[in-house]
């Protein structure tokens, strides 16, 4: 099975990037990386001061065997802040509960002062939560996390947006805000 098919089978459609955009990110952006084995698939961007995990998928057969934690530990060893997006917990969707538990167990903290919400081309609204880990024991102000997330939106989510979507997918000025 191709790597993109693996992602589309697991992640909700509204969270998936266009395959062409993802291939271009991998081929043309030195900061964007894909690691793939039979056990996992990881796509992430490495910026000078932080990492942004775009997709992390551990195969259902090997989940719960420490593979995800070892991937996270390898990224932590780079000594940079790590940011990622997680859909809000839906008690009727066990996977959402498990994802949040996994990231919290691995030392990630929800950036509860950041609101991240966008609409698709049909006007349907979606919300994501930002989680982060810092080698500085989470002493990073959320304003700093917001600035890093804005950079991830600009460089990754909106990479060649007009070519693939005809519109900006995640305009940081519209989708990311500090809560008051």
């Amino acid at each position: 099975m191709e790597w993109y098919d693996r992602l589309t089978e697991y992640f909700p459609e509204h969270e998936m990037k266009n395959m062409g955009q993802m291939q271009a990110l991998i081929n043309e952006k030195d900061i964007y990386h894909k690691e793939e084995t039979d056990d996992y698939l990881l796509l992430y961007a490495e910026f000078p001061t932080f990492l942004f995990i775009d997709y992390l998928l551990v195969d259902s057969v090997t989940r719960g065997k420490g593979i995800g934690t070892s991937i996270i530990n390898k990224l932590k060893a780079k000594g940079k802040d790590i940011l990622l997006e997680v859909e809000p917990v839906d008690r009727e969707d066990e996977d959402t509960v498990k994802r949040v538990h996994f990231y919290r167990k691995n030392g990630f903290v929800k950036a509860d002062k950041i609101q991240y919400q966008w609409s698709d081309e049909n006007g349907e609204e979606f919300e994501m939560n930002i989680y982060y880990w810092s080698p500085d024991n989470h002493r990073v102000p959320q304003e700093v996390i917001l600035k890093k997330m804005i950079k991830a939106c600009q460089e990754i989510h909106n990479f060649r947006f007009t070519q693939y979507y005809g519109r900006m997918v995640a305009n940081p000025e519209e989708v990311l805000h500090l809560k008051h």
Side-chain angles (χ1 to χ4, degrees):
M1 178 183 300
E2 292 292 320
W3 63 268
Y4 188 79
D5 294 334
R6 289 171 70 189
L7 290 175
T8 58
E9 282 187 5
Y10 183 71
F11 288 97
E13 183 179 341
H14 68 271
E15 291 182 22
M16 288 301 304
K17 289 179 177 55
N18 174 289
M19 183 178 180
Q21 180 193 29
M22 291 180 75
Q23 197 63 58
L25 280 163
I26 294 164
N27 293 336
E28 299 173 31
K29 283 265 197 188
D30 290 339
I31 64 169
Y32 200 79
H33 308 281
K34 176 180 74 129
E35 292 183 16
E36 179 181 14
T37 72
D38 289 340
D39 293 330
Y40 74 89
L41 180 56
L42 170 67
L43 292 115
Y44 71 99
E46 184 169 1
F47 294 92
T49 62
F50 72 100
L51 302 171
F52 172 71
I53 298 175
D54 205 7
Y55 298 94
L56 173 57
L57 171 63
V58 175
D59 188 81
S60 61
V61 175
T62 57
R63 256 181 232 139
K65 297 181 179 178
I67 292 169
T69 296
S70 68
I71 294 164
I72 293 295
N73 287 338
K74 185 174 84 170
L75 294 174
K76 286 178 178 180
K78 294 177 179 275
K80 299 178 181 184
D81 293 339
I82 303 173
L83 280 68
L84 53 90
E85 306 163 346
V86 180
E87 68 270 33
V89 169
D90 176 353
R91 296 283 175 211
E92 299 192 14
D93 181 351
E94 189 177 327
D95 282 341
T96 64
V97 176
K98 288 179 180 180
R99 271 186 220 102
V100 168
H101 175 74
F102 169 77
Y103 288 116
R104 285 185 176 160
K105 178 182 83 168
N106 281 283
F108 283 78
V109 174
K110 180 180 174 185
D112 58 356
K113 295 180 183 174
I114 298 174
Q115 180 178 354
Y116 184 30
Q117 188 171 359
W118 76 97
S119 301
D120 67 10
E121 62 273 5
N122 299 319
E124 188 172 350
E125 290 194 357
F126 299 97
E127 182 177 346
M128 295 292 273
N129 293 319
I130 309 299
Y131 279 77
Y132 66 97
W133 173 87
S134 175
D136 299 327
N137 297 321
H138 307 296
R139 294 193 181 133
V140 180
Q142 288 194 27
E143 293 81 5
V144 172
I145 298 300
L146 177 64
K147 287 179 184 176
K148 291 178 179 185
M149 192 62 212
I150 287 169
K151 179 87 170 156
C153 281
Q154 292 168 334
E155 297 285 325
I156 305 304
H157 293 330
N158 291 323
F159 178 71
R160 293 198 182 156
F161 63 89
T162 54
Q163 179 180 350
Y164 296 105
Y165 307 104
R167 66 181 184 83
M168 190 176 292
V169 176
N171 181 348
E173 293 178 14
E174 296 175 5
V175 301
L176 287 164
H177 306 283
L178 281 176
K179 296 177 184 175
H180 299 289

